[in-house]
Amino acid sequence: MREQSLDEFESIFEQASIPVLEIEPVTLARVAVVLKNDALDASVCRLAAHLKTRFGSEVQVHYPDTLSKDSVAATTTVTDFAAAPAAFRSTAELVGQVSIGRSQLVLMPEPEDEAGRVVSVDALVEGTSPPILLVRSEIDEPASVFSRVLHSLTGSFQQTQNFSHSFTLVEDAGQVLLLHVVSEAEVADVRDAMRVSPEVDTEEGEKLVEKLSHHGERFLKGVVAAAREAPYDASYRLAVGDIVETVRTELEAGGYSVLVVGHHVEGHSHISADDYQLMHTVRDIPVLAL
Amino acid sequence: MFGGLNTAMLASSGAEAGGAVPGYQTVTFSLILVVTLLLLATEKIHKTVLVLLSGLLCLFLADYWGFFPHKVGHHLPVYIEMIEWEVIGIVIGATVFVEIAARSGVFTWVSVKMLKASRGDPFKLLIFLSVLTAVFSAFLDNITAMIIIGSLTVVACRKLDLDAKPFLITEGIMTNVGGLLTLISSIPNIIIGKAAGISYLSFVLVATPYVVVATIVTLLIARMMFGKTVRPLRDTEAKAHNLALVTAFDEWETVEDRRFFYTSIVAVVLVILGFALKAQIPILRDFGIEIVAMLAAVLMLLLHAKDVEHDLDDVEWSLVFFFVGLFVVIGVMDKAGVLLEIGDLLTRVTDETGPYGLMWLTAIFSSVTDNIPLAAMLAKILGPTPEAAEAVGSVEWWAVVFGANLGGNITPIGSASTVVACTILKRHGLKLTFLEFVKIGGVFAFAQLLIATGYLYGIWLLLG
């Protein structure tokens, strides 16, 4: 009984402590650019050049071997990347190159026309560890890409690493909104399960759901406080509903310049089904899949 | 020189059995008492089971040898005479009250407030948490006080990157100092206080000056002993860092129901006032303190009516049954003349050393075994409170109170709160051997007992 009480009180005090977070910027020493012989190639190169200036990144260009070296040179000539472009024959080979090159961010145009796609985004996301920025529209002003970031949070996100990319990439005067959408369908499932379970008291179950949202909010408060301390212009919003729909509504209303989805924990990407859906369907602004 | 022991009364009590008790019977019961106490010290058998077993054995033997003059069979009234129902009433009432009050978040809320007030400075943290431990021990039972403060200490030290050991040891020791503060702060206080007829308010008035001095001395010793860990912060950056870490604690996170929280505060204040001013409150004047404790329990059960079954489960029933067995054992020992023999022995000690020897002996005994049987036994042996000291109790009573409480600081098994402190240390992989504790706790206990010796002398001077 006493052991139980010790656990109980330790957990009460542990929960009473709002996490004091430090947002550690991620390193962007190596950035990979994937060309596709697309109109967007130039936009991606411009963005890479901008990141090179901001972070001193070394940019490695990868291109499908169906492209001639001359056309690659023509695309990249204005950007003055030091490393020689590397040709790949398949997505698998590109995955290998990105991994060997220890790239920390992949920039990739993704044409709307499926026939024009030489790289499978899903295979690249699954096969490589760095976050991938998918560019689907022309970028005239690279500095505008990370001026207003919408970071969508789903599932378990209680690690600051998840936020580091957004806060590292956001421009000096930029803003980050952390949007956590609790899936209404999942909450309903949990409630149904509690209702039929003889082990769980319904009132206690409701309290549990409330507690979880409350803890999530406390964590977000901690992140925003730490971000503001850094200082970043950050805010958060909690919502309950359909994840994809809520994010899309927020995108339409908020005038965001980039959407960030997924988790990036200890060097590995975790993309949920909702994140995949957003990654593939949001086309008017770039999407960064962590 | 001092009040004197109750040998005359004990002698008449022994004769109650129908004349002088034959020597072999006294020896037999003495052996039962010694074996019971030894087995209690070894903790091989659960203390409640052991004492109930011993109580039953005593009863059968006492009946066989005709100790009960009015042979009415083995009916409860005979045994009830031996059992101090007032003590049991206080234990049950206070436990229910405290457990429910603790559930309201009052104590955790105050604890987090104190943590924040320390601004994360290790020395201030030691002072605040230790003083709070002493205050909590005065109103809660020592184990609950240690569990609450110990848990916060572990979490806070983890955040502040501090070694929790010095804090937990000092807190464990401070629970026994705080346990001296009121009549219901510890079981020996309840037993002695009831036997001596000391009122709640008188107890607080006599004990407070000692507790204040002992707290200051304990903290100074802790500062010297654990200087490396509990050093005040000088570096501005470190101060700001620690302040940010403790500011991040939100005391309201420990409170689930604010309405229950506020009503509990009112209840706690009312109950403390009820204990303190019982003699002045007409409706309570004629009742014992156990009625106030039961009233407090009922009040809290009313406030927290949704889970009465669970709340009543929190009563330490094993302790209640332990008392039942213990009072039977001591009652029979009294009739068998065993307490008379022990009283004679103690008279010889106190004739030579005064109540100081009694206090040091009690402390040493309490450091290795349960102080409750000792207090219960001494409560029977000690003489009635002299007229001059009627309001505050005799010096001998206070010698037992100080010895029984402070002796628990000498060894890790000396008191329940030091056991909890060591359990917390072990859970978190912080090693502290029995001898290491004795080396540390012994210094604290020696200083505290030394001050108590001087304090007893002061009481004696005051009482003339």
Side-chain angles (χ1 to χ4, degrees), chain B residues 159-177:
Chain B
K159 305 266 177 205
L160 294 166
D161 200 18
L162 291 169
D163 178 10
K165 201 192 276 186
F167 295 91
L168 289 168
I169 294 173
T170 313
E171 288 158 12
I173 280 163
M174 283 303 294
T175 53
N176 293 322
V177 176

Side-chain angles (χ1 to χ4, degrees), chain A residues 1-7 9-20 22 203 207 211 214-215 218, chain B residues 108 112 143-144 147-148 151-152 154-155 158-159 244-245 248-250 253-254 256 314 316 423-424 427-428:
Chain A
M1 181 195 167
R2 295 298 179 194
E3 286 278 317
Q4 233 178 8
S5 302
L6 282 169
D7 283 337
F9 279 106
E10 270 184 40
S11 116
I12 287 173
F13 289 123
E14 206 49 84
Q15 284 169 16
S17 157
I18 295 170
V20 177
E22 278 178 35
E203 199 185 331
K207 270 190 187 168
K211 250 185 189 174
H214 182 59
H215 290 155
R218 275 176 1 94
Chain B
T108 47
V112 174
I143 299 177
T144 309
I147 286 176
I148 294 177
S151 306
L152 176 63
V154 166
V155 174
R158 199 160 41 218
K159 305 266 177 205
L245 289 172
F249 278 84
D250 181 358
E253 285 291 329
T254 67
E256 271 191 30
D314 285 335
E316 284 196 64
T423 306
I424 300 174
R427 276 162 59 95
H428 293 277

